[in-house]
Amino acid sequence: MKVVADTIAPKTGQANMPDYDTARADFSWEEVEKSFSWHETGKVNMAHEAIDRHAETWRRNKVALYYSDDERDEKYTFQDMKFLSNKFGNVLRSIGTEKGDRVFLFLSRSPELYTSLLGTLKIGAITGPLFEAFMEQAVRDRLENSEASVLITSPSLIDRVPYNELPHLENIILVGDGDAPEDGDVKFFRYEQEMEKNSRDLNIEWVDREDGMILHYTSGSTGKPKGVLHVHNAMIQQYQTAKWIMDLKEDDIYWCTADPGWVTGTSYGIFGPWLNGVSNLVRGGRFSPEDWYGTIEKYQVSVWLSAPTAFRKLMGAGDEAVKKFDLSSLRHVLSVGEPLNAEVIHWGMDVYNRRIHDHWWMTETGGVIIANYPAMPMKPGSMGKPFPGVEAAILDEEGNELPPGQMGKLCIKSGWPSMLRTVWNNEERFKKYFPFEGWFDSDDLASRDEDGYFWFEGRDDDVITTSGERVGPFEVESKLVEHPSVAEAAVIGKPDPVRGHIIKAFVALKDGYTRSDELEQELSSFVKKGLAAHAAPREMEIRDFLPKTRSGKIMRRVLKAWELDEPAGDLSTMEK
Ligand code: ATP
Ligand code: MG
C-alpha cells in the first residue's frame, strides 16, 4: 500500500545524464572504463586517478580541497595534494609498510586525513578510516579484526587506542602537537617530522583492479559492524555515479557533509568528486544550522550532499534560519543514508526552491545503486530508479521476482563494479549476502511501482507484522513527521498476545512543543486517518532524542532492546 505520490518535475537545465531511459539503453561499464588511463595497461591506482591524473593537466592549479573548521581555513590544489600524498607514501615506505598492509586512520577531519589516506593508497596499502568519536572498544574491535599494522592518529585521541594490547599494530604516526606517549610495544612517529624528511616524488605502486583498497566497517544499525572490503575497481562506479547522480561539473564547489569514517565520506567525499576533477569542500566541527548555511554562502557551494537527519534538523530550525543566508549558489541537493521523508522534500521545495534528491546504497555496494536523477521526474518518498548498468529487483523469500506494489527483499544482480569483495576475516558472513544464485540481498525491504520507481519500506529485521498485516516502519514514521509537532520518529513492533505485534512509536518533538496525553492521542489518530487503522501506533513515547549511529541513522534495535529489557548489543557506533 502506497500513498499516491505527486511528482516534482526536474528544473530545466543541462544535466550530465541524459533522460533515464536513453541512459539505460545505451549504457556499458566498458565504455566508462575508457575514461581512465589504465584502460590500456590494466594496472591502476585509485589515488593516481583521483589526484595525480589531474595534477598532470591544466587542473594542477585548480583547488582540489577547501578545508575549514573553527581554526583553519586552507586550500590545496591538485598539485599540492599530489605532493603531500606522495610524501606520505614515502613516510609509510620508510617505516616498512607494504602493499596489502592495513593502514588505519583515527583522526578528526583535517587535510592530513585526506593526504594520508591518499598516500596509503599510493603504495598499494589498504586504508581504514575510523570515525573520530569512537571510544576505546570500537577502536580496538576494528584494529583487531583488520590486523592493522599502522595507525595514524593524534595526541588528543591516543588515549582511546589500546596499542599495547594489539599484537599486529607496529607503528603509530601522530598528527599535530600535544603530549603523547613515545614508547610502548609500538614505534611512535610524528607526522610533521616525517613529512619534512621525505621526498615529494614517489614511485607509485601500480596495482590490479581487484587489489584491496579500502576497508569500511558498516554503521552498526542492525548489529555488529562488518568489515567490508572494496577494491580499486570501485572507481568505475564511483566516477560515473558522481558524474550523473551528483551531476558534478567543472566549476562546481561540492560539499559532502559525511565523515570519511562512513562510506559516503569516502566514496562521495573523496573518490567521486576527485575522480571527476571537482573542487571538494570539507568542513570540520559540529553541526549547526547557522554554520552550515553560512558555509554554503561563504564557499558558494553548488552541489550539496547530506543526510535526512541533517535535513530534518534544518527543517526543525525553521525557515527563518534559511532567510538569513544567500543560498543561491546551490544548484543540486542530495540526501542519503536513511529514507528521506516526503515531507522534507516538500519543505525543501518551499525553502530552497530545489528538489532534495534521495538515493540508496550501502557500505557493501561501494557506490550508489538506486537514485533520483537530476533530469528525472521525482516522486517524493521514493528512492528513484536503479543506476543504468545496475539491475535491482524485489524478490520473495525463495528468490522469485515479485510484481509491482508488493513488498519484498531488495536485491541487486551481483557483479556491479563497486561490489564488496569480502567481509574481512569472515567469509561466512560474506556468503550470506548471496542467498539466491546471482543475487546480492541488501537485507532491506522495498517495493517497486508500475513506473519502475523503488520505495523503501524498512530493514528486514524492522518490519512489523501486526494483526496479520506487514507494516514497514518508514511509512508510519513518515506520516508522523508530517505532523507539525514532530521532528523525528522511530517505530518498532512490540510483541502482543492478540495482534502478534503492536506498533510502538518513539517521537522527538520540534522546539516549542511539549509532551501531553492529548498530543500522543492526536499523533496516533493522525496516522490512523492518514494511513490505516492497523498502522496507527497503539503505544507512543515522546523522548528528548532518539538513539542514533554516529552516521545519523536511527537505531531501532536499541529502542526495541530498551523496550523489551533485553541486552542492547554492540553500541560502539552509537552517538552519545
Ligand atoms: P549495519 O549494516 O552495520 O547494520 P547500516 O546498514 O546502517 O549498518 P550502512 O552501510 O552505513 O550501514 O547503511 C546502509 C543502509 O542505510 C541501507 O541498507 C539502508 O537500510 C539505509 N539507507 C541508505 N540510504 C537510504 C535511502 N536513501 N533510503 C532508505 N534507506 C537508506
Ligand atoms: Mg547494513
Side-chain angles (χ1 to χ4, degrees):
M1 174 205 55
K2 261 295 152 231
V3 191
V4 181
D6 49 335
T7 303
I8 308 179
K11 273 213 174 339
T12 46
Q14 284 293 309
N16 287 335
M17 180 174 153
D19 80 89
Y20 182 76
D21 294 330
T22 312
R24 206 169 170 90
D26 296 345
F27 194 84
S28 104
W29 288 115
E30 287 72 29
E31 277 305 307
V32 180
E33 285 180 21
K34 290 186 188 154
S35 321
F36 296 103
S37 45
W38 50 270
H39 173 62
E40 306 280 318
T41 64
K43 289 287 185 179
V44 58
N45 190 304
M46 169 66 100
H48 175 266
E49 298 300 317
I51 298 294
D52 297 13
R53 188 161 63 110
H54 306 301
E56 285 154 17
T57 70
W58 66 267
R59 289 199 187 106
R60 75 175 57 84
N61 295 322
K62 179 173 177 175
V63 175
L65 174 67
Y66 288 98
Y67 178 80
S68 93
D69 60 26
D70 295 340
E71 277 144 34
R72 300 171 72 171
D73 191 359
E74 297 164 8
K75 48 186 170 185
Y76 299 83
T77 63
F78 278 99
Q79 179 151 287
D80 295 335
M81 295 301 285
K82 173 181 170 176
F83 289 151
L84 288 165
S85 54
N86 278 356
K87 270 178 180 266
F88 193 76
N90 284 323
V91 171
L92 287 176
R93 276 194 182 140
S94 74
I95 61 173
T97 315
E98 292 177 355
K99 182 181 169 197
D101 288 353
R102 272 77 63 213
V103 175
F104 268 57
L105 288 152
F106 180 40
L107 273 183
S108 51
R109 259 178 278 182
S110 59
E112 293 71 30
L113 191 165
Y114 292 80
T115 48
S116 45
L117 187 149
L118 293 162
T120 300
L121 299 184
K122 281 188 169 175
I123 65 157
I126 297 173
T127 183
L130 299 179
F131 194 57
E132 64 165 313
F134 280 158
M135 301 311 277
E136 178 170 325
Q137 189 62 43
V139 176
R140 179 200 298 271
D141 285 352
R142 287 158 182 77
L143 294 180
E144 241 166 35
N145 177 259
S146 62
E147 301 179 341
S149 59
V150 183
L151 179 70
I152 304 140
T153 185
S154 64
S156 59
L157 294 171
I158 190 74
D159 285 353
R160 294 190 229 146
V161 183
Y163 52 89
N164 282 331
E165 296 155 39
L166 294 163
H168 296 275
L169 189 63
E170 293 165 13
N171 300 298
I172 291 183
I173 302 174
L174 293 164
V175 181
D177 300 334
D179 289 339
E182 297 293 337
D183 56 10
D185 296 341
V186 295
K187 287 200 213 96
F188 282 89
F189 300 90
R190 289 283 179 164
Y191 176 89
E192 295 74 13
Q193 281 173 17
E194 298 304 311
M195 289 291 274
E196 191 68 43
K197 276 199 265 179
N198 278 277
S199 159
R200 66 181 205 183
D201 296 320
L202 171 94
N203 285 327
I204 201 163
E205 181 88 33
W206 296 109
V207 299
D208 289 324
R209 297 158 59 145
E210 289 299 315
D211 280 333
M213 184 206 33
I214 189 164
L215 186 51
H216 257 303
Y217 287 84
T218 57
S219 289
S221 309
T222 56
K224 198 172 170 59
K226 301 155 284 258
V228 166
L229 183 73
H230 287 293
V231 297
H232 287 257
N233 194 60
M235 71 170 72
I236 302 171
Q237 189 155 349
Q238 291 162 349
Y239 164 78
Q240 191 64 26
T241 48
K243 184 170 182 164
W244 279 3
I245 299 171
M246 286 83 205
D247 199 36
L248 296 177
K249 299 189 174 138
E250 193 65 58
D251 295 331
D252 275 322
I253 306 289
Y254 169 72
W255 184 28
C256 163
T257 63
D259 188 276
W262 311 114
V263 73
T264 306
T266 58
S267 288
Y268 298 101
I270 297 180
F271 306 134
W274 284 337
L275 287 167
N276 281 280
V278 163
S279 299
N280 195 16
L281 167 68
V282 174
R283 172 83 183 144
R286 291 188 81 82
F287 169 89
S288 86
E290 260 81 24
D291 185 78
W292 277 30
Y293 289 142
T295 299
I296 292 172
E297 182 182 271
K298 177 172 173 198
Y299 291 92
Q300 297 279 293
V301 171
S302 52
V303 180
W304 179 32
L305 166 57
S306 196
T309 174
F311 288 115
R312 287 192 299 256
K313 277 188 208 155
L314 291 168
M315 190 165 111
D319 302 358
E320 285 310 306
V322 185
K323 292 191 188 125
K324 287 191 220 148
F325 297 90
D326 176 8
L327 306 181
S328 58
S329 58
L330 281 178
R331 189 187 87 239
H332 188 43
V333 185
L334 302 111
S335 165
V336 77
E338 274 194 304
L340 184 66
N341 320 78
E343 184 65 16
V344 180
I345 295 179
H346 292 303
W347 168 80
M349 288 302 294
D350 283 349
V351 296
Y352 304 141
N353 191 24
R354 296 279 177 281
R355 307 191 307 184
I356 304 176
H357 294 75
D358 188 16
H359 53 291
W360 176 94
W361 62 296
M362 51 202 291
T363 311
E364 292 86 338
T365 67
V368 181
I369 297 292
I370 298 175
N372 286 286
Y373 306 94
M376 189 171 86
M378 179 187 286
K379 297 190 187 187
S382 157
M383 311 187 281
K385 295 188 183 186
F387 194 71
V390 174
E391 203 179 318
I394 307 297
L395 305 184
D396 69 12
E397 299 291 329
E398 275 79 49
N400 305 307
E401 193 154 354
L402 286 166
Q406 284 197 31
M407 176 184 354
K409 289 169 165 297
L410 173 53
C411 295
I412 311 158
K413 182 70 89 33
S414 75
W416 68 95
S418 60
M419 188 174 94
L420 81 164
R421 297 305 197 259
T422 191
V423 174
W424 197 261
N425 269 333
N426 197 345
E427 195 60 22
E428 279 310 299
R429 181 64 190 84
F430 176 65
K431 287 196 192 121
K432 273 192 163 164
Y433 285 113
F434 304 91
F436 316 120
E437 180 74 34
W439 290 96
F440 168 91
D441 179 5
S442 68
D443 276 331
D444 280 350
L445 297 179
S447 60
R448 174 164 44 185
D449 68 17
E450 296 282 355
D451 302 325
Y453 285 75
F454 282 71
W455 299 79
F456 181 83
E457 304 275 0
R459 309 281 189 138
D460 217 339
D461 296 348
D462 291 341
V463 164
I464 304 158
T465 308
T466 177
S467 307
E469 303 273 358
R470 293 219 299 166
V471 178
F474 174 54
E475 219 175 1
V476 183
E477 291 163 4
S478 265
K479 194 52 150 176
L480 285 164
V481 172
E482 277 178 32
H483 192 274
S485 68
V486 176
E488 292 197 294
V491 157
I492 64 164
K494 192 174 164 183
D496 178 85
V498 180
R499 296 185 172 81
H501 289 88
I502 55 152
I503 295 177
K504 169 147 192 178
F506 298 84
V507 167
L509 298 176
K510 282 190 193 147
D511 287 350
Y513 289 88
T514 43
R515 202 210 80 85
S516 69
D517 291 348
E518 292 73 37
L519 181 58
E520 290 189 353
Q521 280 289 326
E522 187 184 320
L523 290 176
S524 187
S525 46
F526 186 71
V527 177
K528 192 171 179 175
K529 279 196 217 114
L531 274 183
H534 72 265
R538 289 185 174 264
E539 284 186 25
M540 178 88 58
E541 187 175 320
I542 292 179
R543 298 176 53 93
D544 292 341
F545 67 95
L546 301 176
K548 282 197 196 138
T549 64
R550 296 271 173 202
S551 50
K553 295 167 196 276
I554 297 171
M555 296 174 96
R556 291 177 194 76
R557 70 174 164 98
V558 172
L559 287 168
K560 207 182 260 179
W562 286 346
E563 183 66 30
L564 304 179
D565 236 347
E566 287 172 354
D570 186 303
L571 297 181
S572 63
T573 60
M574 192 162 101
E575 195 176 50
K576 296 282 168 5

